[in-house]
Amino acid sequence: MTVEEIRSAQAVRGPEEPSYDVVVIGGGAAGLAGALVLGRARRSVLVVDAGRPRNAPAAASHDYLTRDGVPPAELLAAGRAEVARYGGEVVEGEVVAAGAVAGGGLGFRVVLGDGSAVRARRLLVTTGLVDELPDVPGLAGRWGRDVLHCPYCHGYEVRDQAIGVLSTGPMAVRQALLWRQWSADVRLFLHSGPEPSDEQYEQLAARGIAVVDGEVTGLAVAGDGRLAGVELAGGTVVGCEALVVAPRFDVRAKVIDSLGLAVAEKAAEGGAVLGNYVVTEPGGATAVPGVWAAGNVADPMAKVAGAAAMGVQAGVAINFDLVEEETRRAVAVRERAAA
């Protein structure tokens, strides 16, 4: 559904379209944390969750104080229960479009994939990201198990194992040096990435990181189902028990496009583009009045705990914005009564 189609259907509000103070689009750590804050602030909140968390393939979430090692699904289930405790609603569904209600003022109509719609005074977008993985046969099916990206999320679990780093861009040497913290057995597979500079070769050699030439064409799997190595174009198999890749991080564009949110590229040192994200101010406000964003959709590098913290900040900011609006209205009513 296009923005024009949404706006053309907004003139009449049907009884089937309930209204909330805030609709949260996305039910991950950021969205649930924001909903929790708003529920405790006695706001009516609806969380619409498509059920596709980015970290679903991982066995556990890490670096979340008091929740380290908890499976992602268990963490989200606990979050949903906490939101419900304060009156918040969580429903399964995909938001296919959202747009401002015609007629002025802050207000939005949110359309779900089943054709139903709800109204909201404010929106919090926490739709996360999609990981675009390198095109190597067998790699995507092992994502989050022994094909990994973040050492702070998974490094301890593969400590002292043979770790391969798949080079697909200029950040690969830095990745290899970083992962060396968790194992003395690290190899950098040049694959499609650039040739390291002389200085980088010196750094890799000093840290005992081997460099393997050639394109990686597949993965070798042991009889017990664990990763055993990578296969090069010539048929040679080089052993490794974990393979590090650098995905591209892309926002889920459907809702973001319908709202007209500004999206920018996320670049690393040296200018390498890592992906894109929704542009926000501190606290999560976007350039579209009444819309906030939090979590990985606004910061691709945020861990689970960081995403939750962003959700809390956005929830606080949204509640304060609503308080200011309600105060302005109350003053206007008082002035009219006194006139």
Side-chain angles (χ1 to χ4, degrees), residues 166 189-191 212-219 229-238:
L166 186 70
F189 295 93
L190 291 185
H191 188 52
V212 181
D213 290 317
E215 179 186 0
V216 173
T217 57
L219 304 182
V230 301
E231 184 175 339
L232 302 178
T236 301
V237 173
V238 180

Side-chain angles (χ1 to χ4, degrees), residues 218-295:
L219 304 182
V221 180
D224 59 3
R226 293 185 298 176
L227 181 67
V230 301
E231 184 175 339
L232 302 178
T236 301
V237 173
V238 180
C240 69
E241 298 165 278
L243 183 63
V244 176
V245 302
R248 176 183 166 88
F249 312 120
D250 285 319
V251 299
R252 304 178 192 272
K254 192 179 294 183
V255 172
I256 291 165
D257 288 346
S258 70
L259 285 168
L261 300 181
V263 174
E265 289 186 337
K266 178 72 173 180
E269 275 183 45
V273 176
L274 304 177
N276 54 26
Y277 66 98
V278 171
V279 179
T280 63
E281 299 175 2
T286 72
V288 176
V291 181
W292 277 255

Side-chain angles (χ1 to χ4, degrees), residues 7-332:
R7 289 175 177 168
S8 67
Q10 286 171 342
V12 179
R13 176 179 175 177
E16 73 283 0
E17 295 183 1
S19 179
Y20 298 85
D21 288 327
V22 184
V23 169
V24 181
I25 305 174
L32 291 173
L36 181 63
V37 168
L38 290 161
R40 286 177 51 81
R42 308 184 72 180
R43 297 294 180 186
S44 58
V45 183
L46 174 68
V47 179
V48 183
D49 183 20
R52 296 193 299 270
R54 182 184 175 205
N55 62 352
S61 299
H62 291 287
D63 299 326
Y64 197 149
L65 192 62
T66 77
R67 294 295 181 270
D68 184 73
V70 175
E74 184 178 324
L75 190 67
L76 295 181
R80 287 191 290 268
E82 289 180 353
V83 169
R85 187 188 309 162
Y86 295 100
E89 299 177 41
V90 181
V91 299
E92 288 189 14
E94 181 180 7
V95 174
V96 295
V101 175
L106 290 181
F108 301 89
R109 185 170 188 260
V110 179
V111 182
L112 278 66
D114 62 2
S116 64
V118 296
R119 301 292 179 111
R121 296 170 65 191
R122 301 292 187 272
L123 296 180
L124 174 55
V125 178
T126 60
T127 47
L129 298 170
V130 176
D131 294 302
E132 183 181 318
L133 299 173
D135 186 17
V136 174
L139 187 147
R142 310 192 69 84
W143 177 238
R145 291 189 292 156
D146 42 30
V147 173
L148 311 168
H149 165 64
C150 173
Y152 299 102
C153 301
H154 304 288
Y156 190 81
E157 283 61 50
V158 296
R159 65 193 182 281
D160 299 327
Q161 295 182 20
I163 299 173
V165 177
L166 186 70
S167 177
T168 55
M171 297 297 294
V173 170
R174 184 173 179 179
Q175 274 188 302
L177 293 170
L178 180 60
W179 278 86
R180 176 61 179 78
Q181 173 64 24
W182 282 266
S183 176
D185 188 354
V186 177
R187 290 178 175 83
L188 174 63
F189 295 93
L190 291 185
H191 188 52
S192 63
E195 181 83 9
S197 66
D198 291 343
E199 180 183 5
Q200 289 174 326
Y201 268 121
E202 181 66 23
Q203 293 171 341
L204 293 166
R207 293 291 281 160
I209 299 172
V211 178
V212 181
D213 290 317
E215 179 186 0
V216 173
T217 57
L219 304 182
V221 180
D224 59 3
R226 293 185 298 176
L227 181 67
V230 301
E231 184 175 339
L232 302 178
T236 301
V237 173
V238 180
C240 69
E241 298 165 278
L243 183 63
V244 176
V245 302
R248 176 183 166 88
F249 312 120
D250 285 319
V251 299
R252 304 178 192 272
K254 192 179 294 183
V255 172
I256 291 165
D257 288 346
S258 70
L259 285 168
L261 300 181
V263 174
E265 289 186 337
K266 178 72 173 180
E269 275 183 45
V273 176
L274 304 177
N276 54 26
Y277 66 98
V278 171
V279 179
T280 63
E281 299 175 2
T286 72
V288 176
V291 181
W292 277 255
N296 281 149
V297 73
D299 181 1
M301 310 312 292
K303 310 294 186 292
V304 175
M310 294 172 70
V312 169
Q313 292 176 325
V316 169
I318 291 170
N319 182 63
F320 190 74
D321 190 61
L322 288 168
V323 167
E324 288 187 318
E325 179 187 271
E326 291 157 356
T327 301
R328 289 193 299 269
R329 290 179 177 177
V331 169

